[in-house]
Amino acid sequence: MLSVWYPATRMQQGLWVLDRDELQRPTQLVPSVVEFTGEVDHGQLVEAARLTLARHPSLRARFRFDLKGRRVEYSTDGEPGEALLRDAEAEGLTGAEVDAYVRKLCGTPFDLAVDAPARAVVVRLDARRTLLVLVSHHIVVDGLSRTMLLEEIFTVYRARLAGTTPELSDPPHPASVVDARTPEEIAAQVDEVVERLKGAPVDVALPFERGAGDDLEAAPLGATVTTRLDADRTAKALAVAAEEGCTTFMLGVALLAGTLARGSGQRDFLIAFAWPGRDHPDAGDVIGMFITTVVLRISLEPDTGWRELLGNARIAAMEAFMDADVPLDALAARLNPDRTRIWPPLTPVLLNLDDAPHTPVLAPGVTGRLRPLDPLYVKYDLAAFVRIADTAEGRQLELSLDHPTDVTDHSAVSAFLTDLRRSAADLATSPEEPVLEQPARTIDLDDPEERLDLVRSVWREVLGLEDTADDPDDDISFFESGGDSLLLVVLVERLSQASGRTLRTIDLFRSATVSGQADLLAKPAEAL
């Protein structure tokens, strides 16, 4: 029987082109590593993953370039990817060996013409710990699809344990939920967007510089730094945003643009973001690649206040939403024809809403968590993510930055993240104040993140650490991190000066970690 070949979407064509570049191939992977604690039936979990990989047409796809038709196309008649089981404990693998194996799984590209574009491996670590490693290619899986795949595996697993048939939707083929447009319609829409974006700088003045030669040697590796705004100021920031009709994403746009402007002379920015792209009414539960990369433009004046900037962010986002299906390559050809990098084509800055499940639920009595990606491949010089985290202290605005590891000064990245959190605090408490008129800064010892930042910076100074990447873990003691009794005396003096608190050597000896000393600074001065 002859295979049916479907035309790839414009976004899939672009990803196929990026996959032809050896440096970009690892960045096109969508890995998920979930660690479970509790009793897991490994055989049933493998079978649940196998059934899920086999059920969806996009996960059986093979891609090719049709020279005669001048198009990328795909068939979904191929065999599905494998779901395997490895018993690390039985094989005698060390933790380092398991980590190396997982890194290889998450960083090995697919051959899109030959391989099924998704694979899964269940790794039994011991009687109580299990890993599920799910790796897909971005050409067939977007962020929502990744979440739906994980949820389906968990649903099938629970049903198999119970001896029942899982209740699953019956989504249509991904090719049937793509809206076709004529070349004339696309060209007219491109003209409209170019008119709105032209004149904006295609570069952004970032708070750090990248080292030379990274793009010539390997796919760009990245790292992540994260901070949170306290619950009280989060509530105030969200209230101000709501008054201006802004979503959490729009709030993130205003904070990012304002913080970038505060740190440079730039006032006009292009910021990329991902649009779900599921405009077809039947596309909601289809596993596939539907997102598009969209670029918005936001600017501010010297007297623009935070509330006005929120309004600007709302207008910029709404304009971009209306034209979310405009091909990015067509825009780049018009707005940045002299670019020397394949990706990113228009701006080195991305902002997205982080809606990934952070605490996956497999079964009763089994807790799950998403492991940080290692390796993390980055596509942008600066990628910011915003989400509202439900914590023991309440709802908190969480801000994360992905950045290349080859930056020349890692402390500049951490400083920018601190500035981003301070911008959020300023918006929450002084929404009418001009963005560029920054209030005098003092250490807010009521803010848990500010306390941690302060202690980390003093440790870095005392221990002679030049790079934030070398910072000790927050729960490792000062002495395990290279300190000694003489340096402890120096630490007491420097931390007392920096915090304005009178600390004793015995205080820091008893609270010997970064987190412990940060908690110590939270106590009233008279209690120390």
Side-chain angles (χ1 to χ4, degrees), residues 243-297:
E243 289 167 5
E244 300 306 312
C246 288
T247 63
T248 302
F249 169 76
M250 296 171 186
L251 170 62
V253 171
L255 292 176
L256 182 58
T259 307
L260 287 168
R262 281 178 160 187
S264 70
Q266 189 168 344
R267 303 292 180 260
D268 193 4
F269 303 94
L270 294 180
I271 298 174
F273 66 96
W275 177 255
R278 295 174 181 261
D279 301 324
H280 193 286
D282 297 326
D285 56 354
V286 177
I287 300 298
M289 174 56 189
F290 296 96
I291 67 167
T292 57
T293 301
V294 186
V295 175
L296 62 80
R297 181 180 187 177

Side-chain angles (χ1 to χ4, degrees), residues 80-129:
E82 290 186 312
L84 305 174
L85 172 64
R86 286 200 67 175
D87 191 330
E89 187 175 49
E91 295 179 37
L93 299 180
T94 65
E97 289 171 330
V98 171
D99 290 343
Y101 173 65
V102 172
R103 280 195 297 271
K104 184 177 180 180
L105 283 176
C106 293
T108 301
F110 295 93
D111 183 336
L112 293 177
V114 177
D115 301 332
R119 56 177 174 257
V121 178
V122 174
V123 183
R124 178 187 179 276
L125 300 177
D126 54 42
R128 297 283 299 170
R129 294 184 304 135

Side-chain angles (χ1 to χ4, degrees), residues 105-438:
L105 283 176
C106 293
T108 301
F110 295 93
D111 183 336
L112 293 177
V114 177
D115 301 332
R119 56 177 174 257
V121 178
V122 174
V123 183
R124 178 187 179 276
L125 300 177
D126 54 42
R128 297 283 299 170
R129 294 184 304 135
T130 302
L131 297 181
L132 170 63
V133 183
L134 177 67
V135 185
S136 309
H137 196 288
H138 207 4
I139 201 169
V140 295
V141 167
D142 55 22
L144 180 57
S145 293
R146 180 185 79 149
T147 299
M148 290 192 299
L149 279 175
L150 288 172
E151 291 297 335
E152 182 170 319
I153 291 172
F154 304 157
T155 297
V156 174
Y157 172 81
R158 289 191 291 268
R160 291 183 64 84
L161 282 186
T164 61
T165 300
E167 295 183 7
L168 303 173
S169 64
D170 186 21
H173 193 284
S176 70
V177 293
V178 176
D179 292 323
R181 293 186 299 152
T182 67
E184 292 76 18
E185 290 173 329
I186 295 174
Q189 199 172 11
V190 168
D191 288 342
E192 292 178 9
V193 178
V194 167
E195 186 65 27
R196 187 172 72 245
L197 300 184
K198 72 178 183 181
V202 294
D203 203 0
V204 174
L206 296 174
F208 54 80
E209 294 182 359
R210 294 189 62 178
D214 177 76
D215 60 339
L216 300 179
E217 298 177 6
L221 291 172
T224 302
V225 290
T226 301
T227 190
R228 285 178 178 172
L229 189 66
D230 64 88
D232 179 60
R233 280 181 282 198
T234 292
K236 291 178 180 177
L238 292 176
V240 174
E243 289 167 5
E244 300 306 312
C246 288
T247 63
T248 302
F249 169 76
M250 296 171 186
L251 170 62
V253 171
L255 292 176
L256 182 58
T259 307
L260 287 168
R262 281 178 160 187
S264 70
Q266 189 168 344
R267 303 292 180 260
D268 193 4
F269 303 94
L270 294 180
I271 298 174
F273 66 96
W275 177 255
R278 295 174 181 261
D279 301 324
H280 193 286
D282 297 326
D285 56 354
V286 177
I287 300 298
M289 174 56 189
F290 296 96
I291 67 167
T292 57
T293 301
V294 186
V295 175
L296 62 80
R297 181 180 187 177
I298 183 170
S299 60
L300 66 161
E301 300 297 332
D303 59 349
T304 299
W306 282 111
R307 190 180 292 278
E308 183 182 353
L309 187 58
L310 281 169
N312 294 352
R314 182 178 182 276
I315 293 172
M318 294 299 291
E319 288 177 339
F321 296 165
M322 294 294 292
D323 296 308
D325 54 352
V326 173
L328 186 61
D329 56 346
L331 293 178
R334 297 273 297 275
L335 296 169
N336 192 19
D338 300 324
R339 74 183 191 274
T340 58
R341 298 168 65 179
I342 295 178
W343 193 271
L346 272 183
T347 172
V349 174
L350 172 85
L351 174 73
N352 270 338
L353 193 65
D354 179 5
D355 54 3
H358 286 245
T359 53
V361 178
L362 180 63
V366 180
T367 59
R369 71 176 183 94
L370 278 177
R371 276 192 175 188
L373 294 180
D374 180 17
L376 172 67
Y377 294 104
V378 293
K379 302 177 185 178
Y380 292 84
D381 290 350
L382 181 67
F385 300 88
V386 295
R387 80 180 185 105
I388 302 300
D390 292 317
T391 72
E393 289 74 32
R395 301 175 75 221
Q396 293 185 270
L397 178 67
E398 184 174 282
L399 305 163
S400 300
L401 299 177
D402 287 356
H403 63 90
T405 56
D406 69 339
V407 297
T408 56
D409 182 5
H410 285 261
S411 64
V413 180
S414 296
F416 181 77
L417 183 65
T418 298
D419 290 342
L420 192 62
R421 189 181 71 247
R422 287 173 173 169
S423 291
D426 292 343
L427 182 150
T429 57
S430 306
E432 313 299 338
E433 292 299 314
V435 172
L436 300 181
E437 291 185 10
Q438 301 184 56

Side-chain angles (χ1 to χ4, degrees), residues 435-508:
V435 172
L436 300 181
E437 291 185 10
Q438 301 184 56
R441 289 297 175 194
T442 58
I443 300 297
D444 182 1
L445 295 181
D446 291 330
D447 186 332
E449 292 294 335
E450 292 235 8
R451 295 196 303 269
L452 283 169
D453 286 345
L454 174 63
V455 177
R456 288 172 188 143
S457 66
V458 174
W459 274 44
R460 198 177 303 127
E461 174 190 340
V462 172
L463 294 174
L465 303 176
E466 298 181 356
D467 197 325
T468 56
D470 298 327
D471 281 359
D473 186 276
D474 288 347
D475 295 315
I476 299 296
S477 80
F478 181 71
F479 301 102
E480 292 178 280
S481 303
D484 55 31
S485 57
L486 291 177
L487 289 178
L488 181 64
V489 174
V490 178
L491 180 67
V492 171
E493 180 179 346
R494 286 294 300 115
L495 194 54
S496 296
Q497 293 171 346
S499 66
R501 295 288 177 84
T502 301
L503 301 171
R504 302 174 301 170
T505 303
I506 190 62
D507 295 328
L508 299 198

